[in-house]
Amino acid sequence: MTAPAELSPTLQLACDLIRRPSVTPVDADCQTQMMNRLGAVGFQLEPMRIEDVDNFWASHGAQDGPVLCFAGHTDVVPTGPVQQWQHEPFEALIDADGMLCGRGAADMKGSLASMVVASERFVHDYPNHRGKVAFLITSDEEGPAHHGTKAVVERLKARNERLDWCIVGEPSSTTLLGDVVKNGRRGSLGAKLTVRGKQGHVAYPHLARNPIHLAAPALAELAAEHWDEGNAFFPPTSFQISNLNSGTGATNVVPGELTALFNFRFSTESTVEGLQQRVAAILDKHQLEWSIDWALSGLPFLTEPGDLLDAVSSSIKAVTGRETRPSTSGGTSDGRFIATMGTQVVELGPVNATIHQVDERILASDLDLLTEIYYQTLVRLLA
């Protein structure tokens, strides 16, 4: 373990945040710590507790001019079996290999620490910078995400707040810090499909209608359907069945109903309405008696090359010497809510190899590099 006195300001703050057991949606005063630091250098602070979720909005600078927002979450996923960890999950230590260990090191308390320290330095060096530096922080990203970033964005929209650029601190890097940034994400559209048949005795199939037999050809066609070609930034839209349930538990009963859960991860080449209509057409083609409940988790978003992506890429190159690769792979993030404001959004954070795993860890020295990347991005856009 490295002695606290030997740690950089970023690592000291990262360790402090990791030691707070903020399992979603609990914040454990992580946001209080961040707000104290930001308030001390002149940020205007606005805590927003919505239902059982802590959020805050903070800003520094003039009302006019562009706005660069840092966004992230203080909540972490549960630890899993504590006895399987090499070290206590919330101990926050740096091991002999120079790895910062602890739940949230990568996802995403390390990024939060880098954002705060970079912003402290920037407003000190450029007190009269143009535009605004802002923070949008939630404790409801790893959970349902109803009362976190989504709800804060709705409030910001209602009062006509402007967000030109946003850096989300999600762990985007794959092998080395900055090798990948996310410049978009696919949309996520889920559904619960119910196909109705008629329950009966297996020995008298003519008196029953088996929903499993009826639905199977339609499900096979949905799975084989080519939904779109994707584009230069997105792979083709995918369809996956995640659950299939039917039966009464007895071996001699034809069930009366089948339910299937499925999900689309879709590109900007498809729309919600278009996917729903095509699913309905296939189900009707097979003459099924069906109903469906749709659940849209997020629309796809894309930040094409421009001011933000250029500034981030140039900063990564200057600090690490690496050329970064934009990517839209992976699941959803809170960037999907922020993008609805017409904001250019990128995700940039540590290596994601151990996120949500036992023994989550990142290279400690990467956080100081990440702080410098954030700082140089601020300079390029707002100095």
Side-chain angles (χ1 to χ4, degrees):
M1 172 66 185
T2 304
E6 299 172 2
L7 298 180
S8 68
T10 298
L11 284 169
Q12 288 182 35
L13 179 54
C15 288
D16 181 34
L17 295 175
I18 292 168
R19 291 187 182 115
R20 301 171 186 268
S22 55
V23 176
T24 191
V26 174
D27 172 65
D29 287 331
C30 290
Q31 292 181 26
T32 298
Q33 175 73 339
M34 294 177 68
M35 285 190 286
N36 287 342
R37 296 280 293 261
L38 293 171
V41 294
F43 276 77
Q44 294 183 327
L45 307 173
E46 185 179 356
M48 294 188 191
R49 184 167 176 86
I50 304 173
E51 299 293 334
D52 62 343
V53 175
D54 288 308
N55 311 281
F56 79 83
W57 169 255
S59 63
H60 183 286
Q63 291 298 322
D64 56 349
V67 180
L68 171 59
C69 176
F70 288 110
H73 60 90
T74 55
D75 58 323
V76 298
V77 296
T79 63
V82 174
Q83 64 273 17
Q84 293 184 14
W85 286 68
Q86 294 183 37
H87 310 287
E88 288 294 321
F90 297 110
E91 187 176 355
L93 58 81
I94 299 174
D95 67 15
D97 296 322
M99 305 298 289
L100 173 62
C101 307
R103 175 59 83 223
D107 191 13
M108 55 177 288
K109 292 180 176 180
S111 296
L112 296 179
S114 291
M115 291 171 175
V116 169
V117 174
S119 297
E120 289 172 334
R121 178 180 162 199
F122 177 74
V123 300
H124 175 271
D125 293 349
Y126 301 92
N128 298 313
H129 62 83
R130 71 189 189 106
K132 278 187 181 180
V133 184
F135 277 74
L136 195 171
I137 306 298
T138 184
S139 64
D140 181 34
E141 196 273 348
E142 300 291 7
H146 296 315
H147 305 301
T149 301
K150 180 181 180 182
V152 174
V153 164
E154 289 170 357
R155 292 191 179 188
L156 297 177
K157 285 180 179 178
R159 64 196 200 196
N160 296 317
E161 289 277 1
R162 174 181 175 180
L163 266 71
D164 296 274
W165 307 303
C166 181
I167 299 175
V168 184
E170 290 292 344
S172 63
S173 305
T174 301
T175 305
L176 298 168
L177 179 70
D179 59 356
V180 173
V181 297
K182 306 289 187 181
N183 68 320
R185 295 277 191 163
R186 295 174 295 174
S188 178
L189 177 63
K192 179 181 179 181
L193 169 67
T194 301
V195 176
R196 287 172 288 278
K198 182 179 179 182
Q199 185 172 318
H201 197 295
V202 296
Y204 300 93
H206 59 289
L207 300 177
R209 287 189 300 114
N210 192 319
I212 302 173
H213 296 179
L214 295 170
L219 294 175
E221 184 169 342
L222 288 168
E225 181 75 0
H226 188 75
W227 301 97
D228 62 42
E229 298 286 345
N231 56 36
F233 296 98
F234 289 97
T237 291
S238 68
F239 168 90
Q240 289 292 316
I241 298 171
S242 57
N243 282 272
L244 197 61
N245 295 285
S246 190
T248 64
T251 60
N252 60 349
V253 178
V254 173
E257 191 172 274
L258 173 143
T259 60
L261 303 182
F262 61 82
N263 179 270
F264 285 103
R265 292 302 167 105
F266 62 105
S267 75
T268 50
E269 296 299 308
S270 289
T271 65
V272 172
E273 296 77 13
L275 294 172
Q276 291 173 337
Q277 290 168 6
R278 290 172 67 183
V279 168
I282 290 173
L283 296 173
D284 287 340
K285 171 185 171 183
H286 291 270
Q287 299 181 327
L288 300 177
E289 183 183 349
W290 60 274
S291 61
I292 197 164
D293 294 320
W294 293 99
L296 177 65
S297 298
L299 294 169
F301 69 91
L302 177 67
T303 295
E304 298 197 41
D307 293 339
L308 179 60
L309 198 55
D310 290 349
V312 167
S313 300
S314 297
S315 298
I316 292 170
K317 176 70 172 179
V319 174
T320 69
R322 297 175 192 127
E323 299 287 347
T324 195
R325 178 174 62 86
S327 171
T328 61
S329 64
T332 58
S333 78
D334 276 0
R336 69 191 188 274
F337 304 125
I338 298 166
T340 64
M341 299 181 72
T343 307
Q344 295 180 38
V345 179
V346 300
E347 299 171 24
L348 169 61
V351 172
N352 57 28
T354 62
I355 58 173
H356 292 205
Q357 296 181 17
V358 167
D359 290 332
E360 181 178 347
R361 60 187 59 210
I362 57 172
L363 190 63
S365 58
D366 276 354
L367 288 188
D368 291 324
L369 296 177
L370 183 61
T371 300
E372 185 64 26
I373 292 168
Y374 289 158
Y375 174 81
Q376 291 202 20
T377 301
L378 284 163
V379 171
R380 283 178 165 85
L381 292 173
L382 295 180

